Amino acid sequence: MKKTTSFYIGIMSGTSVDGIDIALVRQEEPEEQSQQQATTVFVDGREYAFDEQLREDVLKLCKEQHTSLQHLGEITNRLSIAYGDAVNQFLQEIQVKPEQIKAIGCHGQTVFHQPTGQYPFSMQLINPSIITANTGITTVSDFRSMDVALGGQGAPLVPLFHQSLINDNNQNEALVFLNLGGIANISIVNPAPLLGYDTGPANVLLDAWILKVQGKHYDKDGAFAGRGQCNKALLDVLLDEPYFTLPAPKSTGRELFNLNWLEEKLAGFELPISDADIMATLVELTCTPIIDSIKALPAGRLLVCGGGARNASIMQCLANGLSDWQVCCTDDVGISSDYMEAMAFAWLAYRCLNRLPGNDPNVTGASRSELCGSITRIGSSF
């Protein structure tokens, strides 16, 4: 069957603020009407480091949650310039022309997420006009707002993309995707119906702790955590956080799980614990809600992506807690673990431009499925 092909770029800078991930994907659609779904093919990807001052300013804003309007506007534009520059560098490196790209899907940088209360919102810093002006490519942004407006969490949006990746060969096995970014979120794509939510913290606490005690941005290969042992009493204190017992749909972020939260828990804990033991306990804190969320399912495959998939301590903890499951990295099944979320936002841009829903009410709790995203074009794109 003949297919039409279009190329999209996805940009993701997650809760960890550890870099700008860019993925190029190819969307293949049947030319004739059929039951066959469009397929998403990963073409290439790169990670570009943040300017260190920009990274520090973003993290400071997330931590303090106070700033001036001038600083907020400037940091938004600095981020957007960085996104556009990264796209231009990426296209130059892979020798692809901007006019070959249908659109960019850019999530922006999340700095506050409050999907409940009287005035729910989710704030991502992004100026799509700067990205479009800088690259000459249509930019799709603001993916969460419509879902929140319809009573949803606005997150996670990735489970619908995960579901699109499975094929007929996967229909008879339990299949769960796990993204280990700053926050951990799962997508239960099989058995139906599709479910997904944030289970709790992942790299956001691990990175904060190792930065405090060792001055490193992250625990390479989970080596520092591997030197410690989980302190069960401390783990119980950390798991006493009410978020862990909330029913889905639910989502969270740095506004709850951060270094201040951890230090407050530690201040109320009497026994001295080594830094490595605290790190090992944070690994267990990451894994326990994940294990609890899926262990009642029939045994199947847990496909892990995101930065945490490179953490051997986390992967071993998951394997120990899910001994009947096959726990593996998505790379093992031919899907890039490093660029999964960037791919998802390329796919969401494709969905938006083709007037297809970008959310799933079973996941987010929204009242209905709807188009998600705002489109920014320049005149030559019409």
Side-chain angles (χ1 to χ4, degrees), residues 165-277:
L165 295 175
I166 69 171
N167 54 46
D168 292 340
N169 296 328
N170 305 126
Q171 295 298 329
N172 295 321
E173 66 172 337
L175 196 62
V176 178
F177 285 83
L178 167 63
N179 177 59
L180 292 171
I183 299 298
N185 56 73
I186 60 171
S187 305
I188 303 173
V189 300
N190 204 38
L194 175 67
L195 296 174
Y197 52 90
D198 292 345
T199 57
N203 296 325
V204 65
L205 292 182
L206 294 167
D207 292 351
W209 184 246
I210 201 164
L211 181 63
K212 176 182 172 66
V213 302
Q214 290 200 335
K216 299 177 180 178
H217 286 319
Y218 68 101
D219 183 15
K220 183 174 174 59
D221 301 325
F224 186 55
R227 287 162 44 188
Q229 291 187 335
C230 174
N231 184 293
K232 182 63 167 60
L234 175 59
L235 179 62
D236 290 342
V237 169
L238 299 177
L239 287 171
D240 195 46
E241 170 61 46
Y243 179 82
F244 294 115
T245 57
L246 286 177
K250 62 179 181 178
S251 56
T252 188
R254 278 186 182 272
E255 55 283 340
L256 173 58
F257 294 110
N258 50 56
L259 184 59
N260 288 340
W261 177 87
L262 175 59
E263 290 179 331
E264 287 176 6
K265 299 290 186 180
L266 292 172
F269 194 77
E270 297 181 359
L271 295 177
I273 312 173
S274 74
D275 293 340
D277 286 353

Side-chain angles (χ1 to χ4, degrees), residues 294-327:
I294 64 178
K295 65 183 180 182
L297 297 173
R301 280 194 295 171
L302 178 65
L303 302 176
V304 187
C305 59
R310 308 299 182 195
N311 187 311
S313 294
I314 291 179
M315 295 298 284
Q316 186 61 55
C317 185
L318 291 170
N320 291 342
L322 296 166
S323 57
D324 293 337
W325 284 66
Q326 180 185 352
V327 179

